[in-house]
Structure formats: structure tokens, C-alpha cells
Amino acid sequence: MTAAHPTLLPSLLTLGVLVLMLLRRFQRLAGPQSLDAPGRRRLVVRPALLLLITVLVLLAPHTLAGYGAAALGALVGAGLALWSARHTRFDWGADGHATRYVPNVWIGGGVFLLFVLRLLWRLGPFLTGQVQTTGTQGFDPSAFVSSSPLTVGLFLVFAAYQVVYAVLIVRAAKPSHPV
């Protein structure tokens, strides 16, 4: 029996952590979510961080096709968020405020699946050790993001969906703002 390649273990550990993070994220798409103070804070903080990452991604140099894919992805993501928010169910408390919401699993899950599949497609060579190095050490995030308009476009679908959906849920949770 031969020994495993020495770089295989860190790649497998990274993949394991990534899978656990993605499963946790999908659980937030599939089940009832609380709208208490920590739940509302999550609905504000996470999209704000995602918006910051999106701005950083857009500041990286892209081709015209990359910026076009980003714009199209943002429009598609926002449209899907509007559609998903209309299909979100709320549980209302005695005071007239929403106590929790149940997201539409099919719409959010589809957006999530697109993001995961494209992420795995882009990370596949890194995880399997098939990356050809040309004298540079390490991982260059700008080359990772800007090399493919499809990656940028699908990332913007995911980011716009998350940000717009969170804003709509926070607005709809108030008794005077139904979706």
C-alpha cells in the first residue's frame, strides 16, 4: 500500500470544512428562521458583509464581459429574491410582529446550488492538486475571481439574492410592510 500524497490531507480538511459551512448555510434556507433580536441582527450583518465582499470582487480588474456578467447576475439575483420573498411564509406574534419566517426552499436552494456547483468547479483543480504553478507561490484571489465572467456572474446572483432577500424579510417582518 502506498502513502497518500502529502498535500492531500490539507485539501481534504479544507473540503470538509467547506462542506460543513455549506450544509449549515443550506439549513438556514430550508427551515424556519427566528426573527428575534439575534435573528434580525443576522439578517443585517451577514448581507452587509456579503455586500462588502461583493464590492471588493467588483474592484478587482475584470473584462467587459466580466462586468456585464456581474450586472446580469445582480439583476437575476435581485429578481429571484423578490420572487422568493413573495413565497416566504411568516408566523405572527400577538403584538403584530413576525416571530419567524420560512423561506422558499426551492428558490433559495436553486440559487445556493448554482453557487456551490460553480465554486466546486473553480476549486476542483486546487482540491485535487492539479494546479500548474508557473513560478508563483500561493493563491492569487484576483486571478481566481477575474479569470471567468461566469464565476463573477454567478457570485453576483448569490450575493444580490442574499442581500435583497434579507432587506425584504426585515421590511416584511414589520406589521405595516407586507411583502
Side-chain angles (χ1 to χ4, degrees), residues 29-177:
L29 289 170
Q33 304 300 311
S34 176
L35 281 171
D36 56 358
R40 288 178 191 268
R41 193 170 29 255
R42 272 193 304 270
L43 277 172
V44 172
V45 171
R46 286 187 180 138
L49 291 174
L50 189 57
L51 194 58
L52 177 67
I53 292 169
T54 301
V55 168
L56 293 175
V57 164
L58 292 175
L59 288 176
H62 297 285
T63 62
L64 186 58
Y67 285 117
L72 182 61
L75 288 174
V76 168
L80 286 171
L82 287 168
W83 187 33
S84 184
R86 292 193 186 281
H87 292 88
T88 297
R89 291 178 291 131
F90 290 91
D91 292 337
W92 298 93
D95 62 353
H97 286 82
T99 57
R100 61 185 203 155
Y101 68 98
V102 181
N104 185 293
V105 178
W106 296 105
I107 300 168
V111 171
F112 181 74
L113 184 63
L114 278 175
F115 177 73
V116 169
L117 290 176
R118 186 59 183 169
L119 179 68
L120 290 175
W121 179 263
R122 293 289 293 156
L123 289 178
F126 293 101
L127 295 174
T128 59
Q130 298 174 353
V131 174
Q132 300 294 325
T133 58
T134 58
T136 60
Q137 291 291 341
F139 174 69
D140 182 13
S142 65
F144 175 76
V145 172
S146 65
S147 64
S148 171
L150 183 60
T151 299
V152 175
L154 289 178
F155 174 75
L156 263 291
V157 168
F158 179 76
Y161 175 84
Q162 294 296 318
V163 171
V164 172
Y165 185 74
V167 168
L168 292 172
I169 293 303
V170 168
R171 273 192 63 214
K174 297 177 184 174
S176 62
H177 291 96

